[in-house]
Each structure stands twice: as C-alpha cells, then as structure tokens.
Amino acid sequence: METEDGHVADSALSAAKLAPAIEIVDLTDDNEEPPHATAENEDSNSDSPWESDSFYEDYLAANNAEEDDDGPPDPDLCTPEEAANYRRLLKIVGIDQFIIRTLEQGVPAKKICSAFFKPQRGLMDEAPDEAWYPLLGKLMERFMFTRQKIPQYNTLDDAVSLLQKSKNIVVITGAGISTSLGIPDFRSKNTGFYAQLAPLGLSDPQEVFDLQTFQHDPSLFYSIAKGILPSTKKFSPTHAFIRLIQDKDKLLTNYTQNIDNLEEAAGIVPDRLIQCHGSFARATCLDCGYNVRGEEIFDDLKAGRVARCKECAKRIQQMKPLGMKRKRSVNGLNSKKKRQEFEDSSDEDDDYTIHEPGVMKPDIIFFGEPLSQSFHDRFRRQDRLQVDLVIVLGTKLTVAPVGDIPGSFPPHVPQIFVSREPCNHINFDIELLGDCDVVVEELCKRAGWDLQHEMFTEGQTVSVKPLEEDGEESKYRWVLKSDMKGRECEGNPTAGVAFEAASQHGKVDEGALHGDVEKKAKLNGENNSSGIRIG
C-alpha cells in the first residue's frame, strides 16, 4: 500500500459504505487492476453520488463561503489544528488507512468532512452520520488528487531552465500536437471530431468508440474512421520537439493519448513510448485474435468498409467440404429461427456450419476496454520514481486514467502545461498558452536548442504576455503568439466526414444502438452495408 503521495484504491471506501460507486484510480498500487478508459464527463452511472449533478456536488459548490466567527465554536466540527492534522494524516497513510484510523474508530463523518471544507450551519444538521459518507469520499478524493503548485517556478525563463537541467522528462501528449497537420482533436466545441459527428444523431458521440457498440455494429465506426485515420506520416514540430528531447537523452517516457501513431514517424523509440489509447499501427480479429499491421486494413478504413479477417477466411475455405451445402450464420449471431432450423439438422451438418470471417478491430482502446498493463507497470515501477520534470502538451487531461498522471507524481517534481487554453482542474507550475508548435519553438530558441522542421517560418517572432484573469495579470500563465498568420497544413480531413457517414450508414440514434427493435430493423436494411445484423 502506498504511504506517501500515492492514491489508494477504494476497498475501505466500499467496506465503510462511503461511496460504493466510486472508482479512485490508483496508478501506484501494484494490486490494482487496470481501470477502464473512461471520460470524466461520461454519464455511465447516473445513480452514483459522484456525478457532478449530485446533491453532494451541489452542496460543496454552495458552501465555499467563509462562515461568521461571531458564534461559539461548533463542537461537531474540527478545530483548525485538528483539521491540519487530519489532512496531514490522509496524505501520509492514504484513504484506506485514514478511514480505519478515523471513521472506524468512532470519529463522526461530519467532523472529518470539516477538515476539508467548512459546512454551512444548519444544513444537514439533523441528518444521520451515514449521510455524510458520500460527501466525505468526494472530499478525500479531491484532496488526494489535488496537486499543489511549486511556488518558485512561474515564468517562461523558469521553464527554459527546467528544460535545460532536467535529465528524466516525462512528456504527456494529446491531440493538440497534431492539429497543425490537419488532424482534428476530439473535444473542441465547433471543430473537434466529436462535433463533426452531429449528423449521426448519437446521444453521445463517444459511442462510436464504445466497445459494445462496435461489437453490435462495426459499420458505424468504419463509416467515420477515415476522419481520424492519419493520411500522412508527416509529423508536427511538437513531435520533433519530443524527438529532440529523446536525442538529448532526456526523455524518460512519452505518454501519448493519440492514436495516429505519428510518434513512430517522428522516431520516438518504442521503449520510451506508451500509446495509452493504442493506435492504428496494428489491428486484431475479434474472433480468432489474428493480428496484422494496420496498413492491411487502411483501404477498408478509407472506404468506410468493415474489414474482415483473412486468416478466418482461409480457415473457412479449408473447412468447406466439397459438394456440401451449408447453413451460414452471420458473425456467429444467429436468430432464434435459424437456431431452430439447426436443431432439425444432423450432427454432421452442424459440424460444417460456418461463420463470416471475423471483424478486424484497430488496436485502439475503446471505451469499455482496459488500458495495457504496460501503462501501469511503466508508471509505478520506473517513471514515478525517476522523473524530474513533467511536460504536458496539447491535452486538457479530461480522460482517466491519463488525466490522473500529473496528480500521481511526487509533489516536488515541477510540471509545465502547454496548450491553447488554461487548465483549471490541475495546479501546474507554469502554463504556456498558445499553439504547441509556437511554444516549443520559442522554448528551444531560448534554451539554445537547434529544433529543425519544414513547417517553421524564417524570421518568426513570438510575443509573450501574462494572461489576464479577473483584471489581474497571472504570475504563471503566459500567452505566446506568433507574428505569422499561420503555417501550412494539409487541411482538416473531417470536412464532410460526418455527413458522408450519416448518408452511408443511415440516421443513427440511441435506440438503434441500445435495443430499439424497430430501429434495429431499419439498420438491418439497405442502409447497413456491413453485412452484419444487429441484435
């Protein structure tokens, strides 16, 4: 069990009935199973008290104001000294042991809660102590995952100095490092890939990357996949920056959330790269597990056609007896009527029943799939112990467990954030706001590093100004802007993708994906070009 600054899993939380629906992502516990890749805003458990719309979240939001000190101290709440001691204990022993040493020893949950915030007088005063359990769980989770800013690191020059002197740099990257190539990010309001999927009529555009949805109807994913399939092996200046860190023998690990595999094109070596969400580099048959290079299914992806397993096709051909008529199933999903027909057939005939070749799935991590064990092993056995600088590039860190990485490093390790917009849910030491390519070029110029890339423009100058917040200039958030109007890129490949997908696949809605019989029937009609029946 972690005893310093790790995050402990929720076994004691469940035992104490604090919040049975919570999943506290633990990147440091050797006994922890790999958590599923889930978006922070995913509404997969509407009954959970951890949802942002819950009473407890609202209660926290409504009770941040300082209470009047005119009245006598409330004996049900912590004194300032007790609160400091409880917070210190939680950081040292972790959630599991903290609960054993406090709640299970008879300390009221309300009192423990007051160590992390000041409850408003009167509200929930008559509630049983158990009513405070979910709130206590949320407060402890927030406290454990809140990184404290290191005060001595603030400016662009501080970032340059850290870059120069650090020897074991962890780089965490997202879609923002590829947008200059015309590859869209996912979550930008109007231009992101999910925004382009509006014509599909999905209740949540992330459903196209849902494992169960893919298993039911892979044609939905294949109809839109060309919008995120890299059309080039060119890499951005930010990719080149990471390669330069590697060439200087300073790169410990690049954790990338991108699936475009452009890190490989940039020359990031496999033993310094963790592709957290997989990539298009490989593809696997869902039936037999046959694995191929991703290029073998690229033509299908570009055509919006479901790729089939060639190995399955070979086996089916070999099993086919000469002169024998056989019944066919579709991907092993037979209707009740077909199963009844099979019951009337002889055992010998059943032996020769064949299936369609299996569906090839790119080796990207869908929602509902666990991340690779290498992600967890690498982090807790090497990177967390050796890192001396963290650089986050082009990601808002809204998807767990990658979004939890910054809060899981030792608190003394400095962290730099580079993206177009500020990050408000993690306390970084320095935030450099602007296009990633512009920021890394300026960092290298100031560090005396020779960063070369064909997209750089001769004579570019960059202005650096503090970000204004509430009428005041920030001391650690800096806006970097190039004097150039823009750089060449190949254009946004998602233009028209959603429209084409909707036309080819038919109008898709929640009912079609989750059990509406009539709408399934429509999808099984002429608009479904996959050859796979749903349900």
Side-chain angles (χ1 to χ4, degrees):
M1 180 180 297
E2 289 297 321
T3 59
E4 193 164 3
D5 34 56
H7 303 143
V8 184
D10 59 332
S11 58
L13 285 176
S14 297
K17 299 181 181 179
L18 286 180
I22 184 176
E23 179 183 19
I24 295 180
V25 178
D26 183 357
L27 299 177
T28 60
D29 188 347
D30 284 335
N31 296 319
E32 181 77 5
E33 289 297 320
H36 293 291
T38 56
E40 286 184 351
N41 60 354
E42 186 178 8
D43 188 16
S44 60
N45 189 353
S46 58
D47 296 328
S48 169
W50 301 85
E51 295 298 330
S52 60
D53 294 331
S54 71
F55 166 78
Y56 299 100
E57 192 75 46
D58 294 340
Y59 183 81
L60 283 176
N63 287 278
N64 287 327
E66 289 295 326
E67 191 175 351
D68 294 336
D69 293 329
D70 296 338
D74 190 335
D76 294 334
L77 306 182
C78 288
T79 65
E81 183 178 358
E82 287 175 324
N85 288 336
Y86 280 134
R87 291 195 296 269
R88 188 178 303 113
L89 177 64
L90 178 56
K91 275 292 186 183
I92 292 174
V93 303
I95 292 176
D96 227 10
Q97 281 296 315
F98 180 81
I99 292 172
I100 292 173
R101 298 187 190 190
T102 57
L103 197 66
E104 294 185 5
Q105 299 303 315
V107 181
K110 179 180 179 179
K111 182 168 186 173
I112 305 172
C113 284
S114 71
F116 305 99
F117 91 123
K118 201 167 187 178
Q120 181 181 353
R121 285 184 186 272
L123 189 59
M124 287 181 65
D125 280 355
E126 303 301 322
D129 197 54
E130 290 81 359
W132 291 85
Y133 286 1
L135 181 61
L136 175 58
K138 177 170 282 295
L139 288 166
M140 290 190 296
E141 180 198 22
R142 283 186 172 185
F143 183 77
M144 292 295 286
F145 276 79
T146 299
R147 177 185 183 272
Q148 299 301 311
K149 183 186 181 309
I150 304 175
Q152 63 263 37
Y153 302 121
N154 297 286
T155 67
L156 180 59
D157 288 338
D158 290 337
V160 172
S161 177
L162 288 169
L163 191 62
Q164 290 173 321
K165 69 181 184 182
S166 299
K167 297 180 180 178
N168 291 295
I169 301 174
V170 167
V171 180
I172 305 170
T173 53
I177 73 169
S178 296
T179 53
S180 62
L181 300 170
I183 299 173
D185 64 14
F186 282 81
R187 291 177 173 79
S188 290
K189 185 174 181 180
N190 297 315
T191 61
F193 184 71
Y194 288 148
Q196 299 290 329
L197 299 182
L200 287 177
L202 300 172
S203 59
D204 182 350
Q206 292 179 145
E207 288 184 42
V208 297
F209 296 104
D210 178 79
L211 182 61
Q212 290 186 344
T213 300
F214 185 89
Q215 291 169 334
H216 276 294
D217 182 16
S219 64
L220 174 60
F221 169 80
Y222 271 90
S223 70
I224 57 86
K226 61 183 174 182
I228 53 174
L229 183 68
S231 59
T232 177
K233 290 193 175 182
K234 290 182 179 179
F235 51 88
S236 72
T238 307
H239 289 101
F241 171 67
I242 302 168
R243 168 65 186 270
L244 184 57
I245 295 176
Q246 174 184 281
D247 291 346
K248 291 182 176 293
D249 201 25
K250 291 172 173 281
L251 181 64
L252 186 59
T253 304
N254 177 194
Y255 289 89
T256 179
Q257 300 171 89
N258 297 338
I259 58 178
D260 52 32
N261 201 39
L262 294 181
E263 295 82 13
E264 180 181 285
I268 308 302
V269 296
D271 65 354
R272 298 192 186 189
L273 177 66
I274 296 292
Q275 294 176 310
C276 305
H277 298 160
S279 77
F280 282 104
R282 308 287 302 181
T284 302
C285 173
L286 291 183
D287 282 2
C288 73
Y290 183 61
N291 187 263
V292 300
R293 288 191 60 81
E295 287 88 344
E296 293 193 23
I297 68 166
F298 277 10
D299 287 344
D300 293 307
L301 288 165
K302 292 174 183 177
R305 179 179 59 244
V306 176
R308 298 288 182 169
C309 176
K310 295 179 180 179
E311 188 67 18
C312 283
K314 290 180 182 178
R315 293 179 182 177
I316 290 171
Q317 189 64 31
Q318 292 170 356
M319 292 171 59
K320 180 178 179 181
L322 295 175
M324 176 72 72
K325 292 184 177 180
R326 293 154 306 192
K327 297 179 175 64
R328 298 177 63 88
S329 65
V330 182
N331 246 23
L333 301 176
N334 299 303
S335 66
K336 183 176 180 181
K337 180 179 179 181
K338 288 193 174 185
R339 286 197 298 271
Q340 290 174 343
E341 290 175 354
F342 289 162
E343 289 172 1
D344 297 333
S345 303
S346 66
D347 292 340
E348 181 180 8
D349 191 40
D350 283 342
D351 289 340
Y352 294 117
T353 300
I354 65 171
H355 305 282
E356 290 280 1
V359 172
M360 299 299 295
K361 174 185 169 295
D363 286 357
I364 59 179
I365 305 297
F366 278 53
F367 292 105
E369 289 186 284
L371 271 66
S372 68
Q373 189 60 38
S374 62
F375 168 86
H376 301 276
D377 292 344
R378 176 86 175 202
F379 179 83
R380 59 178 175 247
R381 295 177 184 175
Q382 172 183 296
D383 295 347
R384 185 172 173 270
L385 304 175
Q386 298 180 21
V387 63
D388 59 7
L389 176 63
V390 177
I391 304 176
V392 177
L393 296 164
T395 173
K396 296 178 181 178
L397 294 172
T398 57
V399 177
V402 179
D404 299 319
I405 293 179
S408 302
F409 284 117
H412 66 274
V413 177
Q415 300 193 21
I416 301 170
F417 177 80
V418 180
S419 192
R420 291 181 178 177
E421 298 177 357
C423 181
N424 294 316
H425 65 285
I426 299 175
N427 295 321
F428 289 101
D429 302 310
I430 306 168
E431 295 191 19
L432 306 177
L433 308 177
D435 291 340
C436 289
D437 295 345
V438 172
V439 174
V440 299
E441 183 179 9
E442 185 65 17
L443 281 172
C444 287
K445 282 182 179 179
R446 296 190 180 214
W449 291 8
D450 185 21
L451 179 62
Q452 299 288 332
H453 197 278
E454 61 184 9
M455 290 172 63
F456 284 156
T457 304
E458 194 73 28
Q460 173 184 254
T461 59
V462 174
S463 65
V464 181
K465 296 181 180 179
L467 180 68
E468 288 194 8
E469 299 177 291
D470 299 325
E472 296 184 2
E473 293 184 348
S474 173
K475 295 182 179 179
Y476 70 97
R477 286 176 166 169
W478 304 89
V479 179
L480 283 74
K481 289 186 178 181
S482 169
D483 62 351
M484 302 294 179
K485 291 184 178 179
R487 294 191 175 106
E488 294 293 326
C489 73
E490 297 183 5
N492 191 332
T494 61
V497 167
F499 177 79
E500 292 177 17
S503 299
Q504 294 172 4
H505 192 273
K507 187 73 171 179
V508 181
D509 60 16
E510 185 177 0
L513 296 170
H514 297 293
D516 188 311
V517 176
E518 290 185 5
K519 289 173 181 175
K520 281 184 179 180
K522 290 180 181 179
L523 279 179
N524 284 329
E526 61 183 7
N527 286 334
N528 185 349
S529 60
S530 68
I532 298 176
R533 298 190 65 81
I534 304 170

